[in-house]
Amino acid sequence: MKSMIVLLGPPGAGKGTQGEKLGSEYGYVRLSTGDMLREAVRSGTELGRLAKTYMDSGALVPNDVIIDLMKEKITSLGNTPGIIFDGFPRTVEQAEALDRELDIEVALDFEVADDVLVDRLTKRRSCPDCMAVYHLENKPPRVDGICDKCGAKLYQRTDDEESTVENRLATYHKNTEPLIGYYEKAGKLARIEGIGDIDEIFKQVEKALQ
Ligand SMILES: [Zn+2]
């Protein structure tokens, strides 16, 4: 099976769920840039301290620093069946930098039409206390507006409001479409139809990793 994987897909396309499933069923490790940066800063390694100087000044952490952090993290993991890159690369420049250092084998692109994503995200309601997530149509709470698990009042995250969702999608398309072209040209792109049953989508993922 392929072991170095990049996940692509707009917010709400379900790549997080599929990444978790690859973790629980095959032991793949998910590397998220945000988590990794926070961890490095907390542990105070040399690279972590370097990253922190950029973050403290409000600047973007340069690609080579992020990639060095990834290599450090991968080395520390030792033997693992596979690595999933989630949230990086976000631009063609980052993808090129990653390719110079690591052998990415496949980019899984989770494809879901924008109107479906808007529906998924804007009808989502979250519990502020236990973090449970509902959907007004597909997974409504038993009592309108109340969390089934803990009884707290559900709310809509700012992220999930319609205008925010539309902005996030526009940003995603602008930045990521060139990246999809990049992996396609390299013969590494696998398109995953991101609509339907979670297990059916996972079967497509498994097939793409063969
Ligand atoms: Zn709750």
Side-chain angles (χ1 to χ4, degrees):
M1 258 174 101
K2 296 190 170 75
S3 62
M4 294 293 248
I5 302 156
V6 164
L7 297 186
L8 301 174
K15 61 184 161 59
T17 308
Q18 297 295 324
E20 276 169 27
K21 222 165 147 53
L22 273 175
S24 59
E25 303 208 2
Y26 291 101
Y28 281 49
V29 178
R30 189 178 137 262
L31 286 191
S32 126
T33 322
D35 293 347
M36 211 181 51
L37 278 171
R38 279 187 290 276
E39 189 190 315
V41 168
R42 214 175 28 241
S43 63
T45 61
E46 198 177 319
L47 274 170
R49 287 200 304 272
L50 179 60
K52 189 171 187 300
T53 58
Y54 289 103
M55 288 153 85
D56 285 348
S57 70
L60 286 176
V61 181
N63 294 336
D64 56 339
V65 175
I66 292 181
I67 289 168
D68 282 348
L69 275 168
M70 285 178 160
K71 284 161 67 185
E72 191 176 75
K73 178 76 184 174
I74 290 169
T75 308
S76 78
L77 290 171
N79 257 340
T80 157
I83 307 272
I84 306 164
F85 295 89
D86 188 1
F88 189 94
R90 279 191 203 276
T91 63
V92 170
E93 196 198 1
Q94 290 178 345
E96 287 169 346
L98 192 61
D99 273 343
R100 281 194 290 273
E101 298 290 341
L102 295 165
D103 183 23
I104 298 298
E105 296 172 271
V106 62
L108 303 178
D109 180 36
F110 291 86
E111 303 190 335
V112 180
D114 279 6
D115 55 340
V116 176
L117 291 172
V118 170
D119 185 80
R120 269 189 201 173
L121 295 169
T122 58
K123 290 181 181 157
R124 195 156 72 169
R125 294 295 179 271
S126 307
C127 174
D129 291 344
C130 74
M131 308 297 159
V133 179
Y134 300 86
H135 185 276
L136 296 181
E137 279 160 22
N138 306 334
K139 194 194 166 200
R142 283 192 297 268
V143 180
D144 198 25
I146 301 295
C147 180
D148 290 351
K149 292 181 186 152
C150 74
K153 195 170 182 298
L154 301 176
Y155 79 118
Q156 183 176 36
R157 288 172 27 182
T158 328
D159 266 9
D160 294 341
E161 286 168 11
E162 190 158 346
S163 59
T164 318
V165 167
E166 278 163 4
N167 276 331
R168 284 163 74 200
L169 287 175
T171 307
Y172 173 80
H173 288 305
K174 182 166 160 278
N175 294 336
T176 316
E177 245 131 56
L179 199 52
I180 291 170
Y182 173 84
Y183 284 116
E184 187 164 39
K185 217 168 133 194
K188 293 177 180 174
L189 188 75
R191 296 178 189 277
I192 306 291
E193 173 70 55
I195 297 177
D197 182 67
I198 287 174
D199 293 324
E200 292 299 321
I201 299 172
F202 193 64
K203 280 187 193 140
Q204 298 178 57
V205 170
E206 287 176 303
K207 202 169 158 219
L209 298 185
Q210 294 307 315

